[in-house]
Amino acid sequence: LAKTTQPISMDSYEGQEVNITCSHNNIATNDYITWYQQFPSQGPRFIIQGYKTKVTNEVASLFIPADRKSSTLSLPRVSLSDTAVYYCLVGERAGFKTIFGAGTRLFVKA
Amino acid sequence: EAGVTQSPTHLIKTRGQQATLRCSPISGHTSVYWYQQALGLGLQFLLWYDEGEERNRGNFPPRFSGRQFPNYSSELNVNALELEDSALYLCASSLQGYNEQFFGPGTRLTVL
């Protein structure tokens, strides 16, 4: 299983773009990169998933370089409600002993 | 479309007792996952069920067990409860073979 490394915490201000980078040096050929968001006392919520290059949806963008050894979750113009923990997961199948790391605690300030 | 549901919302037990937690997946989802999240910590993978069978298990003792029923709902049983079992237990479901998991609201288990 590919291990992931993320910053423990990040601070930002409302309206700024936030980029959270995840390192996964031993990612396998069949692995996908998935990001989740979790608010206190709630279950995580799927944000975005990608395999290579760039993926964009209504919530975020995911940038994956050619070597796939890292990925960057980009949140445009964050608001106070984006304060949460963001998890980066790497794996072939969701159930294959899915490992959530400690995640990145994002604090958005007014 | 109804999301993943879990019951009960809160459960209070004493040491040595048994706890049973229930989960109903999103309609059409055959995979169910269980996670434990202690206060302030990350999610720890417990169990993965698919098509009624246990497919994978995290690093938890055998007193953590479960099953998946023909309608794909699932139960998590924790025997001989210990104080450190106090946590939020999250259930998630997904379509078979897909990485996107949908989580329920969780069951808060408190062991006194």
Side-chain angles (χ1 to χ4, degrees):
Chain A
L1 284 171
K3 179 184 174 182
T4 60
T5 303
Q6 305 173 233
I8 294 174
S9 66
M10 295 180 67
D11 289 344
S12 181
Y13 289 93
E14 281 189 294
Q16 288 187 332
E17 178 185 75
V18 171
N19 295 308
I20 306 174
T21 297
C22 179
S23 297
H24 28 81
N25 291 320
N26 59 339
I27 188 169
T29 303
N30 295 331
D31 285 345
Y32 283 76
I33 301 156
T34 310
W35 286 80
Y36 286 83
Q37 174 193 56
Q38 186 180 27
F39 298 111
S41 298
Q42 293 185 26
R45 180 176 73 102
F46 173 91
I47 300 176
I48 198 166
Q49 182 182 83
Y51 183 79
K52 61 180 179 180
T53 63
K54 175 184 175 182
V55 180
T56 299
N57 61 21
E58 64 278 6
V59 177
S61 294
L62 179 60
F63 297 92
I64 305 169
D67 66 5
R68 304 202 322 127
K69 294 184 182 298
S70 67
S71 59
T72 300
L73 174 72
S74 181
L75 304 172
R77 297 180 297 281
V78 294
S79 64
L80 295 175
S81 61
D82 291 318
T83 293
V85 178
Y86 292 83
Y87 295 97
C88 164
L89 281 76
V90 174
E92 181 177 349
R93 290 171 62 99
F96 184 60
K97 197 172 273 189
T98 302
I99 297 178
F100 280 78
T104 298
R105 294 184 178 275
L106 173 65
F107 296 96
V108 180
K109 306 172 188 176
Chain B
E1 178 185 303
V4 177
T5 59
Q6 293 186 243
S7 63
T9 304
H10 294 89
L11 189 58
I12 299 175
K13 295 284 187 178
T14 56
R15 286 177 60 186
Q17 285 188 314
Q18 179 201 36
T20 298
L21 289 64
R22 297 179 177 84
C23 172
S24 291
I26 290 173
S27 177
H29 287 187
T30 62
S31 285
V32 171
Y33 315 85
W34 287 96
Y35 295 87
Q36 180 196 67
Q37 187 172 36
L39 191 63
L41 299 180
L43 284 81
Q44 302 295 319
F45 171 77
L46 265 166
L47 291 159
W48 169 33
Y49 291 96
D50 185 68
E51 297 285 356
E53 305 223 352
E54 182 180 302
R55 301 295 185 182
N56 217 327
R57 183 181 180 86
N59 295 323
F60 281 84
R63 59 190 185 83
F64 286 83
S65 66
R67 55 180 171 168
Q68 187 179 33
F69 299 100
N71 66 354
Y72 303 114
S73 66
S74 177
E75 253 181 23
L76 174 68
N77 295 293
V78 188
N79 294 319
L81 284 166
E82 300 178 3
L83 297 178
E84 51 266 34
D85 296 333
S86 295
L88 180 68
Y89 288 83
L90 291 160
C91 170
S93 73
S94 76
L95 293 169
Q96 187 181 57
Y98 282 77
N99 281 355
E100 181 178 352
Q101 296 182 38
F102 294 82
F103 283 79
T107 293
R108 174 72 63 187
L109 172 64
T110 301
V111 182
L112 303 175

